[in-house]
């Protein structure tokens, strides 16, 4: 009976596999409830201790139907740019979520000093170590930039709970 209960923790109500953290939480709750029954002397010992059971590993696969493709993300970010004054911040925010795999609180706390961004101007061929410091010169406006790999230092996060 204990083994059946533990196995049932691995399945959601819709029949799909449960997340590993959910299985651990449910097992801990079950174990503690039986421990309380031992404390109240309703049973002699915790039956979970007598069962050798490990939670099955959950396959770590990504459902491609719910993840945007690079072309879709590029189109979405282009659409976001048309929002007006806040478009640059919103575009950078969602770009960090997708391309850098950041959590929303990490992207919200990212500051310019945390970014090492380099690139090369395709018009004049100049290399830049810090693209934020690039100013137009007399000979080139530096509009066509070839971006290179950069580094984002995640010094902290700003998690906020909404009123909703």
């Amino acid at each position: 009976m204990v083994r059946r209960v533990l196995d049932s923790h691995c399945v959601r109500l819709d029949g799909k596999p449960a997340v590993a953290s959910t299985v651990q939480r449910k097992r801990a709750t079950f174990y503690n409830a039986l421990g309380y029954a031992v404390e109240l002397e309703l049973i002699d010992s915790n039956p979970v201790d007598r069962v050798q059971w490990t939670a099955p590993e959950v396959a770590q696969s990504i459902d491609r139907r719910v993840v945007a493709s690079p072309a879709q993300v590029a189109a979405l970010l282009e659409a976001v740019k048309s929002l007006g004054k806040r478009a640059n911040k919103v575009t950078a925010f969602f770009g960090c979520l997708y391309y850098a795999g950041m959590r929303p609180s990490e992207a919200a706390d990212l500051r310019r000093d945390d970014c090492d961004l380099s690139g090369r101007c395709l018009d004049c061929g100049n290399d830049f170590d810090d693209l934020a410091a690039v100013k137009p010169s007399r000979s080139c406006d530096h509009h066509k930039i070839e971006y290179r790999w950069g580094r984002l230092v995640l010094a902290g996060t700003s998690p906020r709970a909404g009123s909703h």
Side-chain angles (χ1 to χ4, degrees):
M1 176 64 88
V2 171
R3 186 175 300 282
R4 284 195 318 206
V5 172
L6 292 172
D7 287 340
S8 72
H9 292 162
C10 299
V11 182
R12 298 185 332 193
L13 291 176
D14 63 2
K16 294 181 181 177
V19 180
S21 60
T22 301
V23 174
Q24 289 174 340
R25 182 178 43 80
K26 287 180 177 182
R27 185 201 175 279
T29 303
F30 180 58
Y31 185 85
N32 290 336
L34 291 175
Y36 185 61
V38 171
E39 183 181 324
L40 295 177
E41 298 179 358
L42 299 173
I43 55 178
D44 294 330
S45 65
N46 195 329
V48 176
D49 292 333
R50 289 183 265 153
V51 176
Q52 266 203 310
W53 181 86
T54 55
E57 291 186 20
V58 179
Q60 297 294 327
S61 62
I62 297 174
D63 186 354
R64 298 200 181 276
R65 296 172 296 178
V66 297
V67 177
S69 70
Q72 290 171 321
V73 170
L76 289 169
L77 292 177
E78 282 299 318
V80 168
K81 286 181 184 178
S82 67
L83 292 176
K85 291 181 180 181
R86 294 183 50 160
N88 289 341
K89 289 183 181 180
V90 175
T91 303
F93 176 79
F94 286 111
C96 286
L97 296 185
Y98 184 78
Y99 293 113
M102 291 182 181
R103 295 178 293 188
S105 60
E106 292 170 336
D109 200 48
L110 191 64
R111 301 292 178 255
R112 175 64 195 100
D113 293 339
D114 300 331
C115 305
D116 294 329
L117 306 173
S118 63
R120 181 173 69 91
C121 179
L122 296 177
D123 290 332
C124 65
N126 285 340
D127 287 322
F128 301 106
D129 291 331
D130 185 7
L131 288 173
V134 173
K135 306 271 190 259
S137 66
R138 290 182 183 180
S139 61
C140 184
D141 288 334
H142 308 302
H143 284 299
K144 294 182 182 176
I145 299 289
E146 177 185 63
Y147 295 96
R148 296 190 182 134
W149 283 99
R151 186 173 70 165
L152 304 174
V153 179
L154 304 177
T157 63
S158 295
R160 294 177 189 92
S163 61
H164 302 294

